[in-house]
Amino acid sequence: QVQLAQSGAEVKKPGASVKVSCKASGYTFTSYGISWVRQAPGQGLEWMGWISTYDGDTKYAQKFQGRVTMTTDTPTSTAYMELSSLRSDDTAVYYCARNVLEWISYSYNCYMDVWGKGTTVTVSS
Amino acid sequence: QSVLTQPPSVSAAPGQKVTISCSGGSSNIGNNYVSWYQQLPGTAPKLLIYETNKRPSGIPDRFSGSKSGTSATLGITGLQTGDEADYYCGAWDTSLSAGVFGGGTKLTVL
């Protein structure tokens, strides 16, 4: 079945970087993009960015520009999200999601149909 | 502050119907498709509605989506206690060139 398996929980100090992985299975990896979404404790969903698994094109939320890097490794069907210069307010659960992003009938169609279980990142001194 | 605006909470009795609104603008809901997600406590979000009004396989027809202008609505009929969850709307924002979510609505089934 279609699955996204994420790497385990991380504890980092302020100023450090974290790299979370997301291994896809059960479908053709390069047929769908991957988005990363985070959720701080008790808060809502926050879209961080999207990567095309076909050509590596990326779109990042302005808030994370310069601090986030999304990459993929096609042979292993794995997507990565690296966040640098970590702060305490980066403490959150980070989700990867299979993302359809397409232009149809003069409109953008964007939705996330398969989600990983999430990776908890704790930033604390 | 989320780009899309949802009510923080809604409630209704079992068996009743509830609607959750999602308000945006012309750069997102007004000209693009809307999606809806259900997040049960302690779990990852789950896609409920895509392309504004389509249900993925396995989602019961108790769940429906619609849009009018720059606002979208999620409808849930025949409420069950198992529907208690947080619900999020989402869309692509053409001006931001980014995905955007609503702040989420907590549904309580009394």
Side-chain angles (χ1 to χ4, degrees):
Chain A
Q1 68 278 30
V2 177
Q3 287 185 359
L4 296 175
Q6 297 188 224
S7 48
E10 304 263 12
V11 179
K12 296 291 183 180
K13 293 196 182 302
S17 297
V18 68
K19 191 170 186 177
V20 180
S21 68
C22 171
K23 182 173 176 59
S25 61
Y27 72 97
T28 302
F29 182 65
T30 52
S31 294
Y32 297 83
I34 294 286
S35 273
W36 290 86
V37 175
R38 77 176 187 179
Q39 186 170 37
Q43 302 301 307
L45 303 177
E46 182 174 31
W47 184 85
M48 298 180 68
W50 167 91
I51 183 166
S52 166
T53 57
Y54 178 73
D55 61 9
D57 183 30
T58 54
K59 298 183 188 297
Y60 298 142
Q62 188 171 7
K63 175 178 179 176
F64 300 102
Q65 290 273 4
R67 242 184 7 118
V68 70
T69 304
M70 296 178 187
T71 57
T72 61
D73 181 61
T74 300
T76 61
S77 300
T78 303
Y80 299 91
M81 186 283 298
E82 184 169 22
L83 188 63
S84 62
S85 302
L86 288 169
R87 308 183 288 257
S88 58
D89 62 359
D90 291 318
T91 294
V93 176
Y94 289 76
Y95 295 101
C96 62
R98 192 174 79 168
N99 196 156
V100 170
L101 178 58
E102 59 188 2
W103 175 253
I104 55 173
S105 303
Y106 304 101
S107 298
Y108 279 100
N109 182 31
C110 176
Y111 61 92
M112 297 152 214
D113 65 344
V114 180
W115 293 68
K117 293 188 186 304
T119 296
T120 299
V121 175
T122 303
V123 183
S124 174
S125 55
Chain B
Q1 195 81 348
S2 302
V3 173
L4 306 180
T5 301
Q6 299 180 233
S9 63
V10 296
S11 62
Q16 296 300 303
K17 173 183 177 177
V18 71
T19 60
I20 298 173
S21 61
C22 176
S23 177
S26 59
S27 61
N28 42 69
I29 293 177
N31 285 286
N32 294 322
Y33 293 93
V34 180
S35 55
W36 288 91
Y37 305 87
Q38 177 193 61
Q39 187 176 33
L40 297 169
T43 69
K46 174 183 175 182
L47 179 67
L48 277 183
I49 299 289
Y50 67 102
E51 286 180 31
T52 302
N53 56 15
K54 295 182 179 178
R55 284 176 285 104
S57 173
I59 300 299
D61 59 7
R62 299 189 299 109
F63 295 90
S64 64
S66 62
K67 183 177 90 167
S68 178
T70 59
S71 291
T73 301
L74 173 70
I76 312 174
T77 61
L79 276 172
Q80 303 172 2
T81 55
D83 296 332
E84 284 204 336
D86 293 322
Y87 293 83
Y88 295 89
C89 57
W92 188 257
D93 191 293
T94 308
S95 296
L96 297 174
S97 193
V100 291
F101 287 108
T105 299
K106 182 176 183 60
L107 169 63
T108 301
V109 181
L110 302 167

